[in-house]
Amino acid sequence: MPVDSRRLQGPESAFSYTLLEKKDANAEESILSADMQKMLIDSKQIRKDKRKPTDARPLFLRTGIISQAKGSAYIEQGNTKLVCGVYGPREVQKKSDFRLNGQLFCEFKFAPFSCQKRRSHQQDNEELVLSGLLREALEAAVCLHHFPKAQVEVNVMVIENDGSPLAAALTCASLALSSASIPMYDLVVGASVRQLPKVLLLDPTKDEEWQPELSHDQNNSNLTVGYMPSMQQVCAYVHEGVSNTEDLEQMLKLVTEYCLKVQPIVQLCLKETVEKMLANEGENKDAE
């Protein structure tokens, strides 16, 4: 058996003395849940940022942020700020990645200064997982057969993270793909909700998000959904924590209703982008 010389070795049959203490685990979890809920929402059902439980943060959208990209978008959801750039379609470089249908390459990255704790310049495990979730969600919305044997790159950079970065990335990436004239079945709108034992918090901030080391009891979780409103289909579903079926139905209903409200805002931003593009083309023709 290999021995780790860097640690103090104890008997193989040893165990922690804390396991011998008799504790009421259910009572401790209920106390922690009550204290956590009081920290996030007061007795008048008002959150720290003066929102009601079912209120979302202010939303700001803009396209054409990156001049070198074929399509780009910027989103502000409260203090959560992201930028997305779309490049391609371009030829697939590796023959091993060759497919008859088109491919999506998604990269999700936190800027080093975006979080309270400084992030690395290289992708860590969390960013790799978020990149995979983003790719799986967008593949369901993009018409991949329209650009066979080619690849579209989607790069998302989180400038400031104040909660729900994946939900904001889904909306931002969908808008960037549309501005790049990539064929899509429908727009993707992202939304998230935090479940507490007696209340649901829509669009949670960083402090309100589910944390496994603090919230490990039942009816305490976090749900992120990517929704295609026109097709009424869910293309992304990420659930963390413990919830029963009835609560999950309520959470899903809340986020889908919010996505339906955000859809006209995304469409209006895209409409303004197309009108501006047509106006610039008309000015260029007149100048010639």
Side-chain angles (χ1 to χ4, degrees):
M1 179 177 178
V3 177
D4 189 355
S5 59
R6 295 171 297 177
R7 297 178 181 272
L8 296 176
Q9 302 298 318
E12 294 184 0
S13 60
F15 55 88
S16 175
Y17 68 92
T18 57
L19 298 177
L20 300 175
E21 299 178 3
K22 295 183 179 179
K23 296 180 180 180
D24 190 350
N26 295 329
E28 286 187 355
E29 289 182 357
S30 62
I31 293 173
L32 287 173
S33 299
D35 293 341
M36 178 65 66
Q37 187 162 336
K38 290 180 181 178
M39 291 172 58
L40 300 180
I41 188 168
D42 60 16
S43 59
K44 297 181 181 179
Q45 298 296 304
I46 301 297
R47 295 152 77 170
K48 281 185 176 181
D49 52 4
K50 309 301 180 183
R51 286 187 292 156
K52 295 180 180 179
T54 57
D55 289 346
R57 294 174 291 179
L59 184 66
F60 174 80
L61 297 169
R62 178 171 291 180
T63 58
I65 299 297
I66 305 175
S67 58
Q68 293 84 0
K70 186 174 182 182
S72 60
Y74 172 78
I75 184 172
E76 283 188 12
Q77 200 162 337
N79 290 329
T80 299
K81 303 172 185 178
L82 295 87
V83 62
C84 176
V86 174
Y87 305 87
R90 58 183 59 168
E91 184 180 357
V92 178
Q93 296 181 356
K94 295 183 180 179
K95 293 184 179 181
S96 59
D97 297 336
F98 179 81
R99 296 178 187 174
L100 292 178
N101 288 332
Q103 301 179 40
L104 275 181
F105 173 79
C106 297
E107 183 183 26
F108 189 102
K109 187 77 181 71
F110 288 98
F113 51 83
S114 61
C115 303
Q116 294 181 353
K117 184 178 179 181
R118 188 170 181 83
R119 307 292 293 243
S120 172
H121 290 278
Q122 296 181 348
Q123 273 193 321
D124 54 20
N125 292 333
E126 180 185 3
E127 292 167 336
L128 290 174
V129 171
L130 292 174
S131 299
L133 294 172
L134 182 64
R135 178 182 56 80
E136 292 176 0
L138 295 178
E139 281 181 345
V142 176
C143 302
L144 298 175
H145 59 279
H146 280 223
F147 45 95
K149 307 176 185 178
Q151 178 178 278
V152 174
E153 296 181 8
V154 180
N155 297 322
V156 175
M157 175 66 72
V158 180
I159 302 174
E160 184 176 354
N161 179 25
D162 189 32
S164 308
L166 179 59
L170 290 170
T171 306
C172 187
S174 174
L175 185 59
L177 286 167
S178 301
S179 66
S181 302
I182 301 297
M184 300 180 67
Y185 297 107
D186 193 7
L187 293 170
V188 179
V189 180
S192 60
V193 60
R194 166 70 192 278
Q195 179 196 18
L196 293 172
K198 296 182 180 179
V199 67
L200 299 179
L201 304 180
L202 181 64
D203 191 17
T205 61
K206 184 65 175 176
D207 294 334
E208 295 172 343
E209 284 186 329
W210 178 80
Q211 302 178 22
E213 64 272 13
L214 299 178
S215 307
H216 50 81
D217 54 336
Q218 194 172 4
N219 298 329
N220 210 326
S221 62
N222 199 83
L223 175 65
T224 301
V225 167
Y227 189 66
M228 295 188 287
S230 299
M231 300 183 67
Q232 297 184 358
Q233 292 184 4
V234 175
C235 60
Y237 188 94
V238 183
H239 179 256
E240 301 170 300
V242 182
S243 302
N244 55 42
T245 306
E246 296 178 357
D247 292 334
L248 280 176
E249 291 178 355
Q250 295 180 1
M251 296 166 69
L252 186 59
K253 181 181 178 181
L254 180 62
V255 294
T256 51
E257 289 176 352
Y258 170 71
C259 291
L260 291 173
K261 295 178 182 178
V262 175
Q263 181 191 18
I265 302 175
V266 181
Q267 291 175 337
L268 180 60
C269 180
L270 191 59
K271 178 184 175 183
E272 293 176 352
T273 303
V274 174
E275 291 177 348
K276 184 178 179 181
M277 187 184 305
L278 294 175
N280 293 336
E281 290 179 357
E283 292 177 358
N284 293 335
K285 290 182 180 179
D286 294 339
E288 291 178 358

